[in-house]
Each structure stands twice: as C-alpha cells, then as structure tokens.
Amino acid sequence: MSAITIKSPREIEIMRQAGRITAAARTLAREMVAPGITTGQIDREVRRFIRKQGAEPTFLGYGGYPASVCLSVNEEVIHGIPGSRVLRDGDIVSVDVGATYKGYVGDCAGTYVAGTASEEAARLIRVTRQSFFEGIKFARAGYRIGDISHAVQEYVENNGFGIVRDYVGHGVGSVMHEAPEVPNFGPPGRGPRLVKGMTIAVEPMVTQGTWEVNVLKDGWTVVTKDGKLAAHYENTILITDGEPEILTYAEDLYE
C-alpha cells in the first residue's frame, strides 16, 4: 500500500467531484434495488451512468474484478459479483461502488432492501449506517485512526452485532486503496494521527452473528461464516481543521 498522501486544494476539489458522481451512482443503484430485478441489470445501469458523467467505474477490472459494482446479497458481506441473480422480496443488498474522475477516486457503499425487510434486517442496516457516523465523530485532526476504529466497534457490539475484522477501510486518492488502513475494531489511541488534507474511506461491515467470514470459490464474494445476514456502509471523507467533510454525500445519508 502506498504512503499516506495529504491532498492539495486542487486535488480535494477533484475528489469532491469524483465523490458526487460516486454518491449519485450509489443512489441510482439503491433506487433500482427491488424484487424481480437482476443484479446484472443494476451493474449495467450504474456503469452507463458513471461513464455518462465523464468518469470511469473504478472497480471494473480492478485486480481482475469483472463488474462495475459490488452487489452483495443477504449473507454476502462484500465483493458480490453481479449477474443473473434475481432479487426477491426481503433481500438486503449491499451496494459498493467507485468512480474515477480526472485521476481521483470516490468510494462508497450502502445496504438497501428489496421490498420489505424483516425487523431484524432493518435494525442491522440502521446500526451499520449509524456506526459509520459514530466513527467519524473522531475523524478530526489530532485524533488517531484507532479512535475511529474503536468507536465503530463499540457501537456495533453494544447493539449485539459482529464487526468484520478481515477487511478494513483505507485511504483514498489517485488510487482506490492508499495508506492508511482504517480498521473497524481495536483499541483507541493507536495508528496514524489524522491530519488536515487526508482522505479516507470509513466502511463498517457488520454481521448478525459471528464476525468471521469465508471467501467463495469465485475468489471474490465474501460471506458470513455462519450464513447470517451482513450489511455494509461506507463514505469517502476529508479530514479538515474542523468537522470531517463527507465527499460522497447523498440525500440518503441520514435516513
């Protein structure tokens, strides 16, 4: 992984644009999540949308990944490959999308319901999203990465859910995965100190049961080891001299 980069004002402005495109692509996917639609249809529409904005789907071809969006259903945590799967009423779908604009990346995710979710699935989604906001209370200059990590873990586990440890958040910039790693667990006061101009992706991955995961034979799709539901929420954020700025802002952030 590359060294931590501090972004210039020019780079930050481009990342804002990349973030807006990425957030809009996530919203498009969210609006398409419904019973009867295939994950492949969502992928195609998001790819078309991103390119129409003058950007490129970051995920397409990244490490050999074959699609523009990761669409992970129910017990799939992350990296689900879109295809012929038809969504059913009650499925929960984690949408993870990236867009590269003028050489800079936006990266975000959210989990949405096809039709009507069970009460427990809905609570899982709410807790996952809120854990992101609990974490970024500490995404301020002077704190450490571990302060974000600890806040996410504490909130998730206090609500009775598991937090995935095998996959973490990361720096974002001219490539999708920069330093530093941003775990969703661990003690406070550890890791690099946050500095104005850093851009990072904070992305809790939360499970109904055990935090342990497996990777399927396709080499990509990560599933919960116990087959229980999982949810994912992510935004790219900028460290400022005050409150963090969410670069992948979308209207559905605060639902």
Side-chain angles (χ1 to χ4, degrees), residues 28-132:
L28 171 62
R30 170 187 178 236
E31 290 171 348
M32 291 185 70
V33 169
I37 198 165
T38 68
T39 54
Q41 286 174 286
I42 297 172
D43 180 68
R44 286 191 295 275
E45 288 303 316
V46 169
R47 182 182 311 165
R48 187 176 295 120
F49 173 82
I50 290 173
R51 287 180 169 160
K52 190 175 180 181
Q53 311 311 308
E56 277 297 313
T58 309
F59 296 0
L60 185 61
Y62 187 86
Y65 186 73
S68 299
V69 191
C70 296
L71 293 169
S72 307
V73 183
N74 296 334
E75 77 282 0
E76 298 173 353
V77 184
I78 51 173
H79 303 164
I81 300 172
S84 59
R85 181 171 186 166
V86 178
L87 298 180
R88 299 181 300 177
D89 186 61
D91 282 345
I92 64 170
V93 185
S94 293
V95 174
D96 190 0
V97 63
T100 302
Y101 180 75
K102 295 184 178 179
Y104 288 85
V105 175
D107 188 10
C108 64
T111 301
Y112 309 112
V113 182
T116 304
S118 68
E119 185 176 327
E120 185 66 5
R123 194 172 81 85
L124 172 67
I125 292 170
R126 286 196 303 271
V127 168
T128 303
R129 183 170 50 218
Q130 184 59 34
S131 72
F132 165 85

Side-chain angles (χ1 to χ4, degrees), residues 123-124 127-132 134 150-164 184 204-207:
R123 194 172 81 85
L124 172 67
V127 168
T128 303
R129 183 170 50 218
Q130 184 59 34
S131 72
F132 165 85
E134 296 299 319
H150 180 71
V152 170
Q153 179 181 17
E154 187 173 54
Y155 184 80
V156 168
E157 292 182 347
N158 283 347
N159 277 278
F161 294 119
I163 191 76
V164 172
N184 297 303
M205 290 156 267
V206 179
T207 61

Side-chain angles (χ1 to χ4, degrees), residues 4 6 23 70 92 127 139-140 144 158-159 172 214 224 244-245:
I4 296 174
I6 305 303
C70 296
I92 64 170
V127 168
R140 300 173 67 108
R144 292 187 181 274
N158 283 347
N159 277 278
V172 187
N214 292 323
T224 56
E245 179 183 343

Side-chain angles (χ1 to χ4, degrees), residues 143-150 183 185-194:
Y143 284 102
R144 292 187 181 274
I145 290 291
D147 299 321
I148 298 174
S149 309
H150 180 71
F185 63 96
R190 303 279 183 89
R193 196 173 293 281
L194 298 169

